[in-house]
Amino acid sequence: MSLLALVMTLPSHGSSERTRLWRALKSLGCGTVRDGMYVLPDAPAHAEALAELVAAARAADGTADVFTLTPRDAAQEEALRALFDRSAEYQAITEETQRLLLAGTSDGAAARSLRALERRFEQLAAIDFFAGPRRAQTAALLDMARVELVRRASPDEPRATAQGIARLSRADYQGRRWATRKRPWVDRLASAWLIKRRIDPRAEFVWLETPRQCRGDMLGFDFDGATFSHVGERVTFEVLAASFGLDADARIAHLGRTVRYLDAGGVATAEARGLEAILAGLREAQGDDDKLLASALKVFDWLQAGLASRDDDERRAA
């Protein structure tokens, strides 16, 4: 293991510049050997960032230099790794998440608190250069909290079955009435978008007080006993995509992973946080489910357009 060490001194004047540099050091995740000496793992991005700090320090009439530091033995390496220990920060996030769960609420404020904790976790994980079990434990707790808040907000959330997924013809599912639980959230909104845009353009949607209200002439989705619901690890959106042969589309598959993360936990995608925040705002602002869906359809349209543009850029770059 080798480290980049920044040795820096600043003149007694210029407290604002010292504050700015200290914040920069903190955001990079530097370990502090002693006052004026800071270390980071040896990496090109860190070398570039430290070079900028050297220039800033010298511009403020201070001194600064960067050199490579290599531990002389295992004991010194362990001591240097300890400078990057994030256990206390993970513990703080864990305790706040546990308090959120113990509060027993599932309102918008609870969801916002969880999103803030997840952002803190992501920022911390980005500078956790020698990750230990605490990071995985905290991530698992946050996933559990997400699923629990969804369950509290939607007590009729479906349980996954182990049945197979049959391939269906879209021609047999046109002009139908599709029914799901009222006050739809991510999986139901995304599923309705998939139905409307890719399966049944003339679909009508019925918002049920309880799943028991679903009549025989309706196609139910995303509740226990529905025609389309969770199967194994797949959420309803993914089941619909697989049922109608849409999962071969890379953009649909990517959106499915995003929906699964937000609905049931798992691995986050780059779009997950933004999508969740937008849909949460729409849900709070719009009390009418038809109008909520109309707005959500546009959001998913934009998201798919963005994914298509990104794919085009990646193909051109290749």
Side-chain angles (χ1 to χ4, degrees):
M1 178 184 77
S2 62
L3 300 173
L4 296 174
L6 169 67
V7 177
M8 180 173 60
T9 60
L10 290 174
S12 57
H13 62 276
S15 60
S16 61
E17 184 64 16
R18 285 199 303 274
T19 300
R20 190 187 73 80
L21 289 171
W22 170 247
R23 287 175 177 168
L25 291 166
K26 185 176 180 181
S27 68
L28 288 170
C30 290
T32 303
V33 178
R34 54 176 169 75
D35 187 29
M37 183 175 180
Y38 312 96
V39 290
L40 280 172
D42 190 354
H46 291 161
E48 182 178 346
L50 292 180
E52 292 176 359
L53 293 181
V54 167
R58 290 175 179 175
D61 297 326
T63 64
D65 288 288
V66 175
F67 60 89
T68 301
L69 177 63
T70 302
R72 63 175 176 268
D73 53 35
Q76 189 176 71
E77 178 172 340
E78 183 178 352
L80 288 170
R81 282 177 181 266
L83 298 176
F84 300 97
D85 182 22
R86 313 297 182 193
S87 297
E89 292 100 320
Y90 284 127
Q91 181 62 26
I93 294 173
T94 295
E95 291 175 357
E96 291 183 45
T97 304
Q98 290 170 337
R99 285 196 293 270
L100 181 64
L101 289 172
L102 288 173
T105 59
S106 60
D107 55 10
R112 287 191 294 273
S113 295
L114 180 59
R115 286 196 295 273
L117 287 167
E118 289 173 328
R119 285 193 295 272
R120 280 174 54 190
F121 172 79
E122 289 170 355
Q123 292 165 354
L124 181 60
I127 58 172
D128 188 8
F129 307 119
F130 305 102
R134 293 303 303 271
R135 180 162 76 180
Q137 292 165 0
T138 307
L141 177 62
L142 288 168
D143 274 350
M144 186 190 76
R146 171 182 293 281
V147 174
E148 176 61 16
L149 289 187
V150 170
R151 186 194 65 78
R152 290 176 186 176
S154 303
D156 291 325
E157 192 68 13
R159 290 164 293 189
T161 66
Q163 67 189 48
I165 300 176
R167 182 60 61 88
L168 305 172
S169 171
R170 278 173 276 180
D172 297 329
Y173 290 84
Q174 299 303 300
R176 303 291 297 272
R177 300 182 76 202
W178 298 76
T180 192
R181 295 166 290 141
K182 67 177 186 178
R183 302 309 294 151
W185 183 226
V186 178
D187 194 13
R188 280 166 283 159
L189 290 170
S191 295
W193 172 82
L194 189 65
I195 292 165
K196 193 73 173 175
R197 296 294 192 249
R198 302 291 295 273
I199 298 171
D200 180 7
R202 295 184 291 117
E204 295 181 8
F205 293 95
V206 178
W207 312 108
L208 307 171
E209 285 284 345
T210 70
R212 292 187 297 275
Q213 293 178 330
C214 187
R215 301 199 309 264
D217 61 334
M218 300 175 184
L219 285 171
F221 66 97
D222 202 51
F223 58 81
D224 285 340
T227 306
F228 302 97
S229 193
H230 294 202
V231 174
E233 293 184 352
R234 300 187 189 188
V235 294
T236 301
F237 177 92
E238 294 175 296
V239 171
L240 281 163
S243 297
F244 293 97
L246 302 171
D247 51 345
D249 185 324
R251 293 169 298 167
I252 296 296
H254 183 88
L255 181 53
R257 292 189 291 273
T258 301
V259 174
R260 187 196 317 160
Y261 169 74
L262 294 174
D263 191 68
V267 179
T269 64
E271 299 77 19
R273 302 279 188 249
L275 178 62
E276 180 186 36
I278 292 171
L279 293 181
L282 288 176
R283 200 168 186 253
E284 287 195 21
Q286 188 53 261
D288 181 273
D289 288 350
D290 287 322
K291 293 179 180 178
L292 170 61
L293 176 58
S295 296
L297 290 176
K298 296 177 183 177
V299 171
F300 286 108
D301 286 343
W302 296 331
L303 178 56
Q304 283 293 278
L307 291 174
S309 176
R310 186 185 68 185
D311 290 346
D312 288 342
D313 290 343
E314 290 176 353
R315 281 194 291 271
R316 283 193 292 268

